[in-house]
Amino acid sequence: MLLFLSLCVPWHAAQVYAAIQPVAPGDVPVFTDDDSQESLLTAARIHRSYLAQLPVDHTAKIYGLSYSRNWLISSLDEFITLIENASGAEQLNRKLTERFEIYQSTGRRSGPGNTMLVTGYFEPVIQGSLQKTPKFRFPIYSPPPSLVSRKSNTGQTEVGRIGKNNAFLPFWTRAEIEGSNVLASSELVYLADPVSAFFLQIQGSGRISLPDGSIRSVRFAGHNGHGYKSIGKLLVDEGKLELRNSSTPNIKQYLAHHPEEQRRVLHYNPRIIFFNWGDDGPPNGSLGLPLTAGRSIALDQSLLSTGVFYWMSSTVPILNDGGEVVAWVPDKRFVLPQDSGAAIEGPGRVDLFMGSGHYAKHAAGVMRQPGKLYLFIKKGFPAVSDMPPSH
């Protein structure tokens, strides 16, 4: 099917079609939810505000069909009403299957049966200082004046800097920035070690605990235009870690035990994230919406629609007081697509925002679980098909 599509429609459109597939009636799971109704309604209402701000002529392409903005809003409204009024899980599941078209992400090519890789992320709290000191000497940066962006000939946004003779140049890499003073005066706050600064950039937001006892939020404000490269994959490829042990805690542990390798490993990822100070509320995702712990997900928005709601099944850890995994338990929940990430590519990746605090920190660090992801759109819309003819 994908080969046929690639001959009939643009390459990216064929990817979009191949990212999801309809679910046969006999394969529809039971849609239960293991988290609170309050958090689900919070996330769903926030997402409705996003849909309402889209242009009136906005459409979402779902398996070759173009759904209008108003239908997306109506679909989410229907879901919110069901959540508010359903007498129980059985009734909610029945009405969802009666009233909504159901699709499933096709998942990872290497996994059986449309399996997703489900990971987690969180908002860390890190000690830092507004001034450089012997203890706090590793900066994170605000967007520097030298950072510029422009539209390429293909309409894509390019990030770089202006060089001699007004030439547009790639912005400096992580190694170039950390090996020089090219971003002097753009330091936002200083942290105690480079690994903390690196993983704060991976998370994209956090809270900084300052020496005077105050806590200030930092929020994603841009990047240097270079692609993301996984240091976990690097360590696996080099035989330093096994794939099954390439979680964030194990990567941090390896770097702590091998300080002589820190610089080389961290510089493997050329991408730098810039931050601004934020407010005391939850961090915003890439859609500009406040994230809801346990409900907001990051996915590849070029392949999986942000105009609908999703249901995810996977497993989550039970932790002891030391943050160690005691057991993995099944987990099922409705989620909203409110974020994206450089490492979240393809129809086989989904990243669950787990909030902040002890559990979120340790659970997000070990989440690399198989899972399934389903999406819903209300039935009955006279959508116009963009699929190529079947003959």
Side-chain angles (χ1 to χ4, degrees):
M1 179 63 173
L2 180 57
L3 176 60
F4 171 73
L5 286 169
S6 67
L7 297 175
C8 299
V9 297
W11 175 79
H12 182 263
Q15 274 195 312
V16 173
Y17 294 131
I20 63 172
Q21 63 183 30
V23 182
D27 295 329
V28 174
V30 177
F31 297 113
T32 58
D33 192 277
D34 294 326
D35 208 340
S36 72
Q37 182 188 70
E38 180 183 4
S39 67
L40 176 55
L41 288 173
T42 295
R45 289 165 180 157
I46 288 172
H47 209 74
R48 190 196 188 283
S49 70
Y50 155 72
L51 296 178
Q53 293 171 10
L54 294 174
V56 175
D57 60 353
H58 174 86
T59 59
K61 304 295 179 66
I62 301 173
Y63 203 66
L65 301 177
S66 297
Y67 291 92
S68 71
R69 183 205 67 163
N70 287 347
W71 193 260
L72 300 177
I73 294 173
S74 176
S75 183
L76 189 54
D77 282 342
E78 179 91 0
F79 176 60
I80 291 172
T81 299
L82 290 179
I83 295 298
E84 291 174 330
N85 298 328
S87 60
E90 182 178 346
Q91 184 190 60
L92 175 62
N93 177 72
R94 177 172 53 80
K95 290 190 174 183
L96 281 170
T97 55
E98 288 174 353
R99 300 183 187 183
F100 288 83
E101 304 286 358
I102 302 170
Y103 298 89
Q104 184 180 6
S105 171
T106 52
R108 311 183 84 190
R109 293 179 183 176
S110 59
N114 299 344
T115 300
M116 307 283 290
L117 172 63
V118 181
T119 53
Y121 67 113
F122 73 109
E123 185 180 34
V125 179
I126 306 171
Q127 290 189 330
S129 171
L130 299 179
Q131 289 79 39
K132 187 175 183 180
T133 70
K135 178 180 179 180
F136 299 107
R137 54 194 181 90
F138 298 96
I140 61 171
Y141 298 96
S142 58
S146 52
L147 186 74
V148 298
S149 62
R150 69 173 187 180
K151 291 290 185 181
S152 69
N153 293 334
T154 61
Q156 300 296 313
T157 299
E158 295 179 327
V159 176
R161 59 189 174 89
I162 303 301
K164 293 181 180 179
N165 300 319
N166 209 36
F168 187 83
L169 303 175
F171 203 78
W172 294 290
T173 64
R174 177 182 300 275
E176 291 169 332
I177 290 169
E178 295 182 355
S180 67
N181 292 318
V182 292
L183 296 190
S185 78
S186 292
E187 298 91 344
L188 185 67
V189 66
Y190 295 88
L191 306 183
D193 71 273
V195 177
S196 294
F198 181 91
F199 279 97
L200 175 60
Q201 293 174 49
I202 299 298
Q203 298 299 329
S205 68
R207 297 182 187 270
I208 309 299
S209 176
L210 298 172
D212 65 1
S214 64
I215 296 179
R216 297 186 65 178
S217 299
V218 289
R219 302 287 185 249
F220 175 90
H223 58 79
N224 64 344
H226 291 273
Y228 169 84
K229 290 187 176 181
S230 168
I231 64 170
K233 183 177 185 301
L234 172 69
L235 293 175
V236 170
D237 290 345
E238 293 180 344
K240 308 291 178 62
L241 291 177
E242 296 181 4
L243 180 60
R244 61 188 177 90
N245 292 324
S246 59
S247 64
T248 297
N250 287 332
I251 294 171
K252 289 181 176 179
Q253 184 180 60
Y254 179 86
L255 294 175
H257 291 166
H258 299 84
E260 73 284 356
E261 290 196 51
Q262 282 187 11
R263 188 176 181 87
R264 176 189 69 85
V265 172
L266 297 182
H267 286 179
Y268 175 75
N269 178 19
R271 190 178 183 90
I272 282 274
I273 301 301
F274 302 113
F275 296 89
N276 282 328
W277 294 117
D279 57 28
D280 292 333
N284 288 346
S286 61
L287 298 184
L289 306 174
L291 301 178
T292 303
R295 297 299 183 182
S296 299
I297 57 171
L299 42 66
D300 188 338
Q301 296 177 3
S302 69
L303 298 179
L304 297 170
S305 176
T306 61
V308 297
F309 64 95
Y310 290 76
W311 182 83
M312 184 176 75
S313 64
S314 186
T315 55
V316 295
I318 296 175
L319 306 175
N320 61 22
D321 291 342
E324 299 171 322
V325 177
V326 176
W328 289 92
V329 295
D331 181 78
K332 300 173 182 180
R333 65 183 63 224
F334 293 99
V335 289
L336 283 301
Q338 297 171 338
D339 209 355
S340 59
I344 311 301
E345 294 184 338
R349 286 284 280 109
V350 60
D351 208 14
L352 175 66
F353 177 63
M354 307 191 80
S356 60
H358 174 84
Y359 179 81
K361 173 184 177 180
H362 293 285
V366 297
M367 280 285 292
R368 289 185 61 85
Q369 301 302 104
K372 302 289 181 83
L373 188 68
Y374 297 81
L375 64 89
F376 303 78
I377 186 72
K378 192 172 74 168
K379 292 179 179 178
F381 181 68
V384 177
S385 174
D386 292 329
M387 290 286 280
S390 59
H391 55 275

